Amino acid sequence: MLPSQLLRPTGAQHQGARQPFSGGALAPRRCVDGARVRRSPGAAAPGASPAVSPAPKSESRSSAGKIAESAGKASGSRGSAMIDTQPPRGTRDFFPEDMRLRNWLFGEFAAVSQGFGFEQFDAPVLESEELFVRKAGEEITEQLYNFEDKGQRRVALRPELTPSLARLVLQKGKAMQLPAKWFAIGQCWRYERMTRGRRREHYQWNMDVVGVPGVEAEAELLAAIVAFFERVGLTAEDVVLKVSNRKVLQAVCARYGVPDESFARVCVIVDKLDKMPREKVEEELAAIGVPPATVDGVLGALGLRSVEELGALLGPESEAVAELGRLFELAEGYGYKDWLSFDPSVVRGLAYYTGTVFEGRDRAGKLRAICGGGRYDRLLAAFGGEAQPMAGFGFGDAVIVELLKDKGILPAPAHTVDDVVVPLDAALRPAASGIATRLRRAGRRVDLVLEAKKMKWAFKHAEKLGAKRLLLVGASEWERGCVVVKDLAAFEQKEVPVAELAP
Ligand code: HAM
């Protein structure tokens, strides 16, 4: 576009006309009768004939280009090698279109959490390394992004939110109102081997309940996960929530005389059964003093397919059986039993779980875990505090997007505004700015066109932004305290007093 080709609604008589109002303090003057005129998009406003007028220097593209060029010369930047524009391996950039999707997803996470009466918290992404150093040989510890800061402190980028939550609960101490229901959506870092849905940074939605010892907490957490799946259009045919209880494995280990202090390590090793050969698992167990015969017992228990079978193996007094039975009973009450499946092979690779454990999986079995969680009643004690019953889950932002994509139900949220405001003359820019301010104060989303543009461009632009209205600030209407408003859905336009622009 030639910068000299500016569009103005009325004749040149208004060029450089004194601005009747400025800034946000706009008051209407007499307007021409606001007769409704049916027009097609792209048609000019009534009496708005395109006119040519010289562009002010500041709005000329070519002079802006020249400034950039000379700035480049002055800083000696010409000829230097271009930086690598890709983000570090395993991390993501979020362009506006990606942010729209991310905001939609986080909005769904937050809406579900709030619907369940949970309050949001956050903590720094950078934490003390000691928060994540556990000696159970977990993958998460091996994948830690840790380093020494300039003050020689060992720090780490959080790989998960649970230890930070525990730290916050300990910090509050007796002042903490229990039970507490908290949620968070935060970025986590793990030096992972990258596969579909696993990256080196991801965002995790967490919901945790503090101070509730019964499986009522887990049942509520699972209900929230199901509510989320339903909101985004997934069904019990797409997704399964596999549930077990660490007490199953604990009972089996007790039979084989495995000492309590080795239990967390045993869980972490057994969790690898689907990732490494049995011999390797036996080797790792032997290395911590667990006899190979234990593996037979463990595998036998992991192969069970119903809580009834489990009852037959562990006996009716078993805590694992009682807790699982109660959980399924509650699930029935909530109405989400179809989504659950008892699966003792779910052990979870994190050392701190003490009771119920669960994982969300796609039924087709194509993807990694969608989410996972469970009960961890001893984490606060492990941090030197007073033990407190806790249960929660983590739900990543990566696998769910893959699944929604596969199912063809991933939304593509658009960038939209309510109004596009276009000054049709450089001299009317202050007036247009004031109108934008007035509309924004009224809560409307307003795109103010900042450069001299042709009418055709303005229409296309407003259409692209899904605007409901295009407001043309032209000299003669402005003289009367009015602007031309084009209703883009109804293909109508009328002259509206400024005071009536925002409801
Ligand atoms: P987690 O199973 O390690 O549990 O992670 C939870 C979820 O975070 C996974 O199911 C997955 O959706 C996502 N996730 C984990 N690592 C990655 C990765 N490298 N790339 C993409 N997504 C990933 C925990 O973190 C526990 N702290 C959850 C919890 C909260 N338990 C109790 N409260």
Side-chain angles (χ1 to χ4, degrees), residues 359-398:
E359 257 173 26
R361 292 271 173 178
D362 62 307
R363 288 228 191 234
K366 285 200 254 164
L367 301 165
R368 301 275 305 258
I370 307 167
C371 59
R375 174 163 291 279
Y376 52 105
D377 288 348
R378 288 197 283 273
L379 187 57
L380 295 193
F383 283 163
E386 198 182 309
Q388 198 61 255
M390 292 173 86
F393 68 80
F395 191 124
D397 66 339

Side-chain angles (χ1 to χ4, degrees), residues 263-336:
F263 180 62
R265 269 181 167 272
V266 172
C267 291
V268 170
I269 297 169
V270 170
D271 182 62
K272 298 176 188 167
L273 268 169
D274 60 348
K275 292 170 221 137
M276 59 165 77
R278 180 181 163 156
E279 302 78 65
K280 188 90 183 69
V281 170
E282 282 180 8
E283 245 173 59
E284 288 200 10
L285 286 173
I288 60 162
V290 176
T294 316
V295 181
D296 289 329
V298 167
L299 285 178
L302 300 194
L304 298 172
R305 281 293 157 258
S306 71
V307 180
E308 291 70 36
E309 276 179 44
L310 184 70
L313 179 80
L314 300 182
E317 272 85 59
S318 149
E319 272 184 51
V321 175
E323 287 180 13
L324 282 162
R326 177 79 178 140
L327 188 59
F328 276 85
E329 197 186 328
L330 290 166
E332 179 129 47
Y334 276 100
Y336 66 76

Side-chain angles (χ1 to χ4, degrees), residues 212-239:
V212 176
V215 289
E216 287 69 21
E218 288 95 308
E220 181 79 342
L221 292 163
L222 289 163
I225 296 174
V226 170
F228 170 82
F229 285 142
E230 284 176 342
R231 274 181 79 100
V232 300
L234 292 167
T235 69
E237 273 160 34
D238 303 316
V239 174

Side-chain angles (χ1 to χ4, degrees), residues 106-149:
F106 290 10
E108 296 298 313
F109 289 157
V112 170
S113 307
Q114 282 150 6
F116 278 70
F118 280 58
E119 277 194 289
Q120 193 163 9
F121 79 97
D122 202 0
V125 175
L126 187 74
E127 287 273 18
S128 275
E129 184 189 56
E130 62 171 358
L131 207 56
F132 308 109
V133 176
R134 299 189 289 255
K135 295 186 182 71
E138 298 153 283
E139 215 177 25
I140 199 168
T141 310
E142 288 155 12
Q143 295 168 336
L144 207 57
Y145 272 92
N146 47 357
F147 56 96
E148 198 170 272
D149 73 4

Side-chain angles (χ1 to χ4, degrees), residues 92 140 143 159-163 165 188-193 197-208 348-350 352-353 358-360 368-376 391-400:
R92 294 165 293 177
I140 199 168
Q143 295 168 336
E160 55 165 338
L161 292 154
T162 313
L165 168 65
C188 299
W189 291 81
R190 300 182 188 185
Y191 199 84
E192 280 260 10
R193 203 168 46 81
R198 283 288 178 276
R199 11 192 77 262
R200 299 208 167 140
E201 67 49 47
H202 69 282
Y203 283 85
Q204 231 189 62
W205 166 41
N206 279 228
M207 282 178 78
D208 290 86
R348 309 263 304 131
L350 296 165
Y352 49 65
Y353 292 114
F358 54 85
E359 257 173 26
R368 301 275 305 258
I370 307 167
C371 59
R375 174 163 291 279
Y376 52 105
F393 68 80
F395 191 124
D397 66 339
V399 180
I400 186 67

